[in-house]
């Protein structure tokens, strides 16, 4: 991993994303290997977007899908830098909240889960405005 990318990853994890929601591009394969969460590996998917929210000692993570699963849409225009840092990912502007087969919508990851710079679990895409909580209110009802 380039030193600039390493700096971005560490800065986002340590500082930026503990103060506001952030958009990440998660490796489906690594999430399955390290956390035993299936984000679509059987469908041949390589990456899935996810939004993190810091909560005391862990990041709460909501993964997103382009599938029309009845869940609320999430307007990624509130995560403005996405095009620059995750330009290889072709996400629609309004993906929906992803629900796993066992019904989970929210996951908890430790800060250390994001700090592996050799084989990162996720790539930082951007920070998000607090307005993103309007779209995530069913998932994070206690957020402002």
């Amino acid at each position: 991993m380039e030193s600039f990318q390493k700096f971005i990853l560490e800065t986002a994890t340590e500082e930026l994303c503990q103060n506001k929601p952030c958009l990440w591009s998660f490796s489906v394969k690594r999430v399955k290997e390290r956390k035993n969460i299936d984000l679509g590996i059987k469908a041949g998917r390589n990456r899935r977007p996810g939004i993190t929210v810091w909560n005391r000692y862990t990041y709460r993570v909501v993964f997103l899908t382009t599938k029309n699963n009845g869940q609320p849409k999430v307007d990624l225009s509130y995560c403005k830098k996405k095009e620059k840092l995750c330009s290889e990912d072709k996400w629609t502007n309004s993906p929906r909240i992803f629900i796993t087969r066992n019904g989970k919508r929210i996951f908890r990851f430790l800060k250390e889960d994001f700090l592996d710079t050799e084989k990162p679990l996720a790539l930082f895409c951007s920070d998000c405005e607090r307005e993103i909580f309007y779209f995530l209110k069913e998932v994070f009802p206690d957020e402002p």
Side-chain angles (χ1 to χ4, degrees):
M1 175 176 276
E2 281 182 33
S3 60
F4 178 70
Q5 290 175 326
K6 180 179 177 181
F7 170 77
I8 292 287
L9 182 64
E10 290 173 352
T11 302
T13 305
E14 293 285 347
E15 299 170 23
L16 182 64
C17 297
Q18 289 185 15
N19 296 318
K20 55 175 47 178
C22 287
L23 177 66
W24 298 78
S25 178
F26 286 84
S27 166
V28 171
K29 181 179 178 184
R30 292 185 188 134
V31 169
K32 177 66 175 168
E33 290 170 355
R34 295 183 200 166
K35 307 299 276 180
N36 199 28
I37 301 168
D38 185 355
L39 299 177
I41 200 164
K42 293 180 183 105
R45 182 181 312 280
N46 293 321
R47 307 205 70 74
R48 181 174 294 281
I51 295 177
T52 60
V53 177
W54 179 252
N55 186 11
R56 293 189 180 192
Y57 306 108
T58 62
Y59 284 101
R60 295 183 293 171
V61 182
V62 173
F63 294 103
L64 304 176
T65 184
T66 56
K67 192 182 251 185
N68 187 354
N69 61 4
Q71 293 301 307
K73 289 184 177 183
V74 180
D75 187 349
L76 293 182
S77 68
Y78 290 106
C79 307
K80 294 182 177 57
K81 298 178 194 168
K82 159 181 91 66
E83 295 82 13
K84 294 177 186 173
L85 296 174
C86 292
S87 59
E88 73 279 0
D89 293 313
K90 306 285 189 248
W91 301 328
T92 62
N93 192 38
S94 295
R96 295 179 181 267
I97 296 168
F98 178 74
I99 299 179
T100 60
R101 291 188 178 127
N102 61 2
K104 286 189 87 171
R105 297 188 295 180
I106 185 171
F107 299 88
R108 285 179 168 65
F109 288 15
L110 297 173
K111 178 174 63 174
E112 291 74 26
D113 290 329
F114 293 89
L115 294 175
D116 180 352
T117 56
E118 291 301 314
K119 294 184 178 180
L121 187 70
L123 300 175
F124 174 73
C125 295
S126 74
D127 58 324
C128 302
E129 302 296 324
R130 295 199 60 81
E131 285 83 358
I132 203 86
F133 285 125
Y134 173 76
F135 301 95
L136 301 174
K137 65 184 173 193
E138 291 180 24
V139 181
F140 300 130
D142 59 330
E143 296 294 337

